[in-house]
Amino acid sequence: MSLRDEQLDTLRVGDRDVDYYRIADLPGIEHLPYSLKVLVENLLRRIDGVNVTEDQVNELLRWDPNAEPSHEIEFGPSRVLMQDFTGVPCIVDLATMRDAVADLGGDPEVINPQVEADMVIDHSVQIDHYGVADAVARNMDREYQRNGERYRFLRWGQQAFKNFRVVPPGTGIIHQVNIEYLAKVVMTKAGERGRDLAYLDSCVGTDSHTTMVGGLGVLGWGVGGIEAEAAMLGQPISMLVPRVVGFKLTGSIPEGVTATDVVLTITQMLREHGVVGKFVEFYGDGVASVPLANRATIGNMSPEFGSTCGIFPIDQVTLDYLRLTGRSDEQIALVEAYARANRLWGDTSDPDYVEPEYSEYMELDLGTVVPSIAGPKRPQDRIRLDRAKETFERTLPDYETPKTYQNPVPVHTDFRGDFEITNGDVAIASITSCTNTSNPSVMIAAGLLARAARKHGLKPKPWVKTSLAPGSQVVADYLRKAGLQEDLDALGYELVGFGCTTCIGNSGPLLPEISKAVGDNDLTVVSVLSGNRNFEGRISPDVKMNYLASPPLVIAYAIAGTLDFDFETQPLGIDAKTGREIFLRDIWPNNEEIDKVVSSSVNREMFVRDYADVFEGDERWKSLDVPKGERFAWDPDSTYVRRQIFFDGMSAKPQPVSDVCGARVLALLGDSVTTDHISPAGAFPASSPAGKYLLERGIQPKDFNSYGSRRGNHEVMVRGTFGNIRLRNQLLASVGEEVRPGGFTYDFVTGKPSTIFDASLDYRKAGTPLVVLAGSEYGTGSSRDWAAKGTLMLGVKVVIACSFERIHRSNLIGMGVLPLQFPEGQSAESLGLDGTETYDFQGIEALNNGTIPETVHVVATKPATDDGVTGTAKPAAAGKPVPQPIEFDATVRIDTPGEAEYYRNGGILQYVLRRLMK
C-alpha cells in the first residue's frame, strides 16, 4: 500500500464524515513549522509517482532547519487568484492558447482552468472625483466608460471558461475579498470513497500581496501572471523547500500605536535581516493576542520585507474571524476539527502544542513599537514619527534641482479657492489599499480622529487631494453605523470607490492648476497614503516623495498640509471657539475608545449581506454586451484587447536553445530597480511611444486611460516597458549623453540617443540580441508579468544582475529570458563594464543535455574605435592598443529542473500548451 493510501483517513465533523489525508502521525511532523506542514499535506495528497513521489514527502519530513534550500518539490495550489490588471493578460493568453491549439489541430476546450480561479476587478477605478458626495458613482461611471471593452472580454471569459469566476467592479480589493469571503482555510471536493475530501486551502495570486491570506493560516503568495496561468492549467509550481524564519511576537501594542506602526517596524526588521526567498512564520505566546485583522496587515506586507509568505497558524482567533465574516457554522467546525486532527492548531496553551523548529529566529516585543511612517521611496525605510520632520528636511534636497523654485507659489482654483504651495507640501493624502482598509481598528481610529478634528474646526489644507477608498463594502457599513462617515465627509474624506486606487497609481489627476504649478516650478510635493507601496513614480507623476502611514496619520498630515511638520511641537490649528492650540495628541483616539466602537459597529450581518451576491454585479455589469463562443472574436481595431503573439509560429516540439552572441546593452541600471520601473503602470503622455501608437489610431489623450487598463494590448505595453519616469539608464552617461529620466537609451545602430522601444526596433531589424545589466535586488516589487513579457518583446535575451527578487526572476524564465548573476561580490562597475560592449554568452547550449549549467561564460568586448562608442566611427589609430575583452563566469539563475524545462520550451506557456496537446 502506498503512503498516500495509508494516510487516507476519515474525520468526524459534527454529524458527518469527511475523508482527509492524515499527516499528524508522520515521523518528524511535530517539529516542522506550520507552513511546511501545509506543504507536507499538499504533497501527500498529490502523490502520483511522477511529479510527486513518496521520497519527496519523506525528504520534506526530514527537513533540516539549518540547511540551504536544495530539495525541490512540486507545489499544487488549491486556488488561483487574480486582479484585473494582471488577470486580463492571463485571460488574453488563455484565449490565445485556444486559438493556438486549434491551429495545431487540437480541441480548443482543453484550455480551461483545472483549479478554482477567481478574478476580482479592483485595479481599474481611478480617483477622478473626490471631496463630493457622489464621488463613488461618478468614478464608477468613468471606470466603465474607460474599461467597458475589457469588462466585456472578462464577462466572455466567465462564460467561456470552466472554473473561472469574476467579482465585478465596485466590490472591494482582491486581498480583502479573499480573506473575507473567497478563502476557505479548509476546502472540500468529491472524494474517491463516496465522501467529501477535506484538504488545505492554498493559493497563488497574480498580485504580490496575495500573502495577506497568510493571516488566516492559508499558505499563499504572489506569482507572475505567466506562472499563474500554468497553475490554472494544472501545472505544479516547482520550488525549493525554503528556509523558514520564526518571528516571535510578545507583549501588546501600547497606547497611541497602530497596526500600521507594527507592520512598518516588522518590515524594516525583516528587510534588514534578509528574508528574500524564505518563509516567515509568526509564533509565540503573543500571537494569541494579535487580532486577525492585524495578522492580515502583517501578512500583506510580505513582499515589502521580501519573503515568499508571512503566515500565522490556525487558532481560536482564526475561527472567530471566520464567524465574524459570515462563514457557516459547518465550515468553522470543519476548520477546527481538521486543524486539531492534523497538528495544525497553533494555540501555545494547548497541551499537545509543540513549538516548531526554525532556520532563523527573530523577536519583537509589541510594547516597544512607536508611531512611524515609511518613505520617501521604499516601504522598509521606516521613520519614527517624532523624527519625521528632521528626516524629511535632510532628505528634501536630494529631490530638488537647480530648477526648483524655493518660494511659495500662488495657485488659484475654482474647486478649492486660492492658496500657496511650496516644497514639502502634501499633494495627496489617501486612505487606500488592502494593507490597512481590511483592519477595523485603524479605520475606526481614522474616523474618530476625523470626529475630534471636526469638533475643533480643523480641516485638511486646500491643496491636499483627500480620498477614502476602502477594500470592502463592509468598511463603509461599519463607518456609517458608527456615525463616523459623516465626520470623514466633513474633512473631505468622502468615499471615492472600492478598489486599489492610490497605492497602485490610480490616484487620478491633481487639480490642473496645482499640477501646472508643480511642473512649472519643479516643486517637490509629497503623498501620504495608508498603502503598502511607495516606489518612485508609482503614486502620481506630479509627486516625487511618497510616505506610508496609518489611516489616522494620513488625515493628520492632510490637516498639517506638509511633511515639514513636527506633531509634537507644532499645533495642527487653533480651535475657533476657545482659541486654544490643538495638537495631534489632543485629537488622537485612545485604544479603549477604538475597541469600544469596533465591538459595537462591526458585525457578522454586514459580511453576510454584502457578500450574498458577490458575483452578480450592478446594472452596469449586467448590461454589458457579451460576445459568445468558445473562442474569442478578436477585434483587429481594438486598442484594449489584442490576440497575443507569443504562440505565433510555434512548433509542436521545442527547438534547441542556443548561445547568445553579439548582444548589445539596452539598459545599464543600478540597485533596487523595481518592477514598477520596468513594467508599464499609471498614466502616459502623448509624446511617449505608447501615446504615439494610440494617437495614430485616433485615440485622444483624454481617452488614453492607464497602462494597467491596457494590459491586454501588447502593442501598448511593450512601448511602455522600462518607461517609468524615474528610471535612469546609465548607458547614456557611458557614451557622454545626459541621463534623461524615463525610457531612454543609446541606440548603437544609429549612434544616437533614442527611446528604449524605438532602439529595440532598430536592433530587431539588425538581428542584434539585447542584454540588460543591473545591480542588486533587481525586480523588487509587485508580481508584474509585463515586466518580463515586455523585456522579452523588446528583444532582451539575457539579464545580468547582482541579485534578483524571486518573482521577477521566475517570470523572466517563464518568458524564455535567461537570468544570470554576476560573480559573488562583483558588479558591472567592479568588472569595468559600462554598457558599450558587445556580449557573447557561451555555455547556454548545455541546457539541451538535460542539465543546468552552474555558470555561463561571458565575453564582453569593448569597441575598438576612437570615440569609444559606435562601430561606425573611424577605427583606432595605428599602433593604438585594442581593448582586451572582459571575461567572467556568470551564475545561471535557473534554480530548478522545472524552470529549466520552461526555458528549453521558450517559456512556461509554450511548455504547458505542448503538454496539453499531448
Side-chain angles (χ1 to χ4, degrees), residues 173-185:
I173 297 177
I174 173 175
H175 312 301
Q176 198 159 337
V177 173
N178 193 19
I179 64 170
E180 291 180 358
Y181 181 78
L182 297 174
K184 299 293 188 290
V185 186

Side-chain angles (χ1 to χ4, degrees), residues 13 16 18 181-189 196 198-201 218 314 318-319 322-323 325-339 604:
V13 182
R16 65 172 179 145
V18 296
Y181 181 78
L182 297 174
K184 299 293 188 290
V185 186
V186 176
M187 303 178 70
T188 57
K189 64 181 178 181
D196 280 348
Y199 59 102
L200 283 173
D201 188 358
V218 176
I314 300 169
T318 315
L319 302 184
L322 293 175
R323 187 170 292 105
T325 50
R327 271 71 167 208
S328 69
D329 291 340
E330 292 78 10
Q331 180 65 24
I332 296 165
L334 174 64
V335 171
E336 180 173 9
Y338 186 98
R604 173 184 172 89

Side-chain angles (χ1 to χ4, degrees), residues 228-269:
E229 291 170 45
M232 278 194 287
L233 293 168
Q235 296 303 304
I237 292 176
S238 179
M239 60 180 287
L240 298 176
V241 177
R243 291 175 67 84
V244 184
V245 178
F247 197 110
K248 190 173 186 177
L249 294 174
T250 62
S252 57
I253 296 176
E255 195 66 54
V257 170
T258 68
T260 313
D261 303 318
V262 172
V263 79
L264 293 179
T265 302
I266 290 174
T267 299
Q268 181 188 41
M269 291 175 64

